[in-house]
Amino acid sequence: MQALLQCSRKIDWLSSQIGKYVVWLILASVVISGVNAVVRKVLSTSSNAFLEVQWYLFSASFLLAAGYTLLQGEHVKVDVIASRLSRRTQIWIDIFGLLFFLAPMCLAVLWYGQPFFENAYRSGEMSNNAGGLIRWPVYLMMPLGFGLLLLQGGSELIKRIAFLQGLIEDPGAKKAQQTSEQALAESIRRLAEAGKGQRGSQSV
C-alpha cells in the first residue's frame, strides 16, 4: 500500500501542476475574446480563427483541469443523503462511484476518443468555417483530459482505501491553500511589479 500511496502522491503532484498552469488558458481566452470584440466593433472585421481559438482554449482548460478539480474536491456532488451518513460510509460511496461510474466513463471516452483524434490527425481535418483552424489539437483534449481524470480517479481510490485502513488522514478534508485563481492573480501582480521595476531602472 505504501508504494501505491507514493504513486498517488505523484499523480496528485501532476494534477496540481496542471491546474496551476491551465488557469492561464482561461486568461488567454478572455484576452483573445476581448481583443476580438474590440476589433469587430472598431474595424468592422473579424476572424473565424480568433473565434475558434477561444473555444479551443476553453475546451483545453475544462478538460485538462478535470483531474485537478477532482483532486480539490470541487466537482459537483449531490450529497443530500450522503451528508447524513458516517464518514466511512461516505468513503465507501466514493469508492463505488470511482469504480463503477468515473472509471467506466473515462475508459469509454478513451476508447472512442482516441481513434477520433487519430483520424483527424492523419487526415489533417480542418474547420468548415472560412479561415478556421485545424481540428486535431482540440480533439486531442478528449483522450488527454479523460486520461488525466482517470489517473486522478485512481489516486483518489488509493487514498480512500488507505483511509479505511487507517494509514492516512481523511482525503476529502478541505485544506486551506491558495487556489489556482489566487495563484494566477499573484503571478500577474508579480509580473506587473517586475515590469514597473524594469522601466524604473531604465529611466535612471
Side-chain angles (χ1 to χ4, degrees):
M1 178 56 75
Q2 291 302 323
L4 290 175
L5 283 172
Q6 185 177 5
C7 178
S8 172
R9 285 190 289 270
K10 291 179 180 179
I11 294 172
D12 289 352
W13 177 86
L14 175 63
S15 294
S16 296
Q17 294 302 304
I18 291 172
K20 183 189 302 182
Y21 293 107
V22 161
V23 71
W24 287 91
L25 298 180
I26 299 174
L27 177 62
S29 180
V30 171
V31 171
I32 291 171
S33 177
V35 170
N36 194 40
V38 170
V39 169
R40 187 168 62 251
K41 294 295 184 181
V42 175
L43 303 178
S44 299
T45 185
S46 184
S47 167
N48 285 324
F50 280 114
L51 294 173
E52 291 185 4
V53 78
Q54 293 174 46
W55 61 265
Y56 275 37
L57 291 171
F58 176 79
S59 299
S61 60
F62 176 81
L63 290 167
L64 295 180
Y68 173 77
T69 305
L70 182 61
L71 170 64
Q72 298 299 320
E74 296 296 337
H75 52 291
V76 176
K77 296 178 70 175
V78 181
D79 56 358
V80 176
I81 298 176
S83 61
R84 303 173 185 270
L85 304 175
S86 68
R87 186 56 187 146
R88 289 184 67 86
T89 303
Q90 292 176 6
I91 291 292
W92 276 112
I93 293 173
D94 286 348
I95 291 173
F96 180 84
L98 289 167
L99 286 174
F100 296 100
F101 289 97
L102 180 69
M105 179 192 67
C106 291
L107 291 171
V109 174
L110 288 172
W111 179 264
Y112 291 105
Q114 183 67 24
F116 192 61
F117 153 69
E118 290 176 355
N119 291 335
Y121 180 78
R122 284 195 297 265
S123 65
E125 180 182 345
M126 296 291 296
S127 168
N128 293 327
N129 299 316
L133 302 176
I134 194 167
R135 286 287 176 83
W136 70 260
V138 74
Y139 292 161
L140 174 62
M141 295 302 106
M142 285 192 296
L144 188 57
F146 278 90
L148 291 170
L149 180 59
L150 182 62
L151 271 179
Q152 188 58 48
S155 174
E156 297 302 315
L157 180 63
I158 292 168
K159 287 184 288 188
R160 279 154 178 74
I161 293 173
F163 171 73
L164 292 176
Q165 294 179 352
L167 299 176
I168 62 172
E169 297 180 0
D170 186 354
K174 292 285 185 179
K175 301 179 180 64
Q177 60 181 1
Q178 191 180 48
T179 65
S180 293
E181 292 82 3
Q182 292 170 331
L184 175 60
E186 180 65 20
S187 298
I188 293 173
R189 185 187 64 80
R190 286 199 299 267
L191 287 172
E193 290 179 351
K196 289 179 181 178
Q198 188 175 22
R199 287 195 297 271
S201 63
Q202 288 176 350
S203 63
V204 173

